[in-house]
Amino acid sequence: MRIDLSFTPHQADEAVLRDKTVVAIDVLRASTTIITALSNGAREVIPVPTVESAVKLSAQLAGDVVLLGGERGGRRIQGFSLGNSPAEYTPERVKGKSIVFSSTNGSQVLANGRYARSLVVCGFVNMALVVRFLRERPGDFILACAGTNGAFSLEDSVCAGMIVHSLLKDGSLEVTLSDGALAAESLYRSHGRNVLKLLQSTQHGKYLQEIGFEGDLKLCASVDSIPVLPQLDGNVIRLKREAERKDITPAVAPS
Amino acid sequence: MRIDLSFTPHQADEAVLRDKTVVAIDVLRASTTIITALSNGAREVIPVPTVESAVKLSAQLAGDVVLLGGERGGRRIQGFSLGNSPAEYTPERVKGKSIVFSSTNGSQVLANGRYARSLVVCGFVNMALVVRFLRERPGDFILACAGTNGAFSLEDSVCAGMIVHSLLKDGSLEVTLSDGALAAESLYRSHGRNVLKLLQSTQHGKYLQEIGFEGDLKLCASVDSIPVLPQLDGNVIRLKREAERKDITPAVAPS
């Protein structure tokens, strides 16, 4: 099992991700929001790169089962029903809906992964299921971090590093790490002990606090709080399977 | 003083580096080779992105004072006098010469930095001078890592992290770190104790050993062994100043 990693979407374009197994990571907040939406009964999330394509696509789809969601500059896009705050994606609002979704960083990774062999969406909130998925299908994969505005983001890298750490701990796997995967694991060990504190300290975490989304950081930091595994299927993200919380083995044993 | 960092040239294109103070880092081996060449009396190093542009440019310049240097796949380019091994750039070969130079990763960073306000070339070998340069002109700057074939490289990141670490240790500076600079400093603390061992363990370091350049790793790992500061001036790299070794304060105190 060889683990590759890209810290920004620039590093892992469509050609790099083609036919690969991809783990898409945008902790703050697209991953967490998509995981929350699907866990709360949304039928599907359709990621699109631009606001224009979101509006166009939603106009083509049937009216009352479609919601527009997403952000620019961290804030809800004008005319959209939902922003990029996981807290907005309640069962009351999203059950049975198709959500056309566009966010600044996450959408780019998802767009780059459209020709992946398999792509799953990962945050801290569904860590154990992602690790289990990777463990059960030994093979090479790439951890594709969304980053922030094209640059490295510490929270995505530490989340990726938590995956690497969990797989390394499993003595039964033969794991080869790229430099990036090795670095992420180091960063997890340096910064991953207190995930909420981490999110409060990173560039994007600070920005979200400044514009009033400090509550989202807690949701995004809750390791294994939402045991579902969203998977990209064609151009649509749906749940791969739903597991009961009691079945989940913690990805990283509490120390 | 705000410290930004890019782990790959994709993250820091011409627009990002324009008018910035830039530290270009390609430990294995372009930085080390350029530093060695200038320290050994080369008049200048002219970095070019492609083999074709190297050949074209050298044909335009006067014959016997120009040398072609560089690599593809780690090996000397056919028809070139010199590869990308610091050991080749002896005083006997390079004194007084203009070296037209093209390497896979380093040349991209140097090309992206052509409109920087100021760009210096950094490796482990001239660490103390780079740190002193940054300390003496407080202001924001960006650490631009070359990476390897478009991907993250651990050795460049740890080298960048050593700079961050040195500046943080200087209590008189007020330093703000981007996520990337913070991560690099963590990576320096995790992997920077034994630089030779680090270089022997990274992806590109392993590759260079496989193709017979293990000796280069020792040269590239020798912290503060070559106290000169190459600086890009227009399209040409020349020495900014030469310092006597005895004047150099180690960037990082031995522990």
Side-chain angles (χ1 to χ4, degrees), chain A residues 102-120:
Chain A
S102 185
S103 73
T104 313
N105 307 300
S107 291
Q108 190 58 55
V109 171
L110 296 168
N112 290 355
R114 77 191 107 179
Y115 302 119
R117 186 174 53 181
S118 172
L119 181 150
V120 296

Side-chain angles (χ1 to χ4, degrees), chain A residues 56-79:
Chain A
K56 215 180 265 182
L57 180 61
S58 75
Q60 289 166 8
L61 300 171
D64 62 347
V65 298
V66 177
L67 289 174
L68 277 168
E71 57 67 40
R72 285 299 179 272
R75 296 186 172 89
R76 186 168 66 211
I77 297 161
Q78 212 182 0

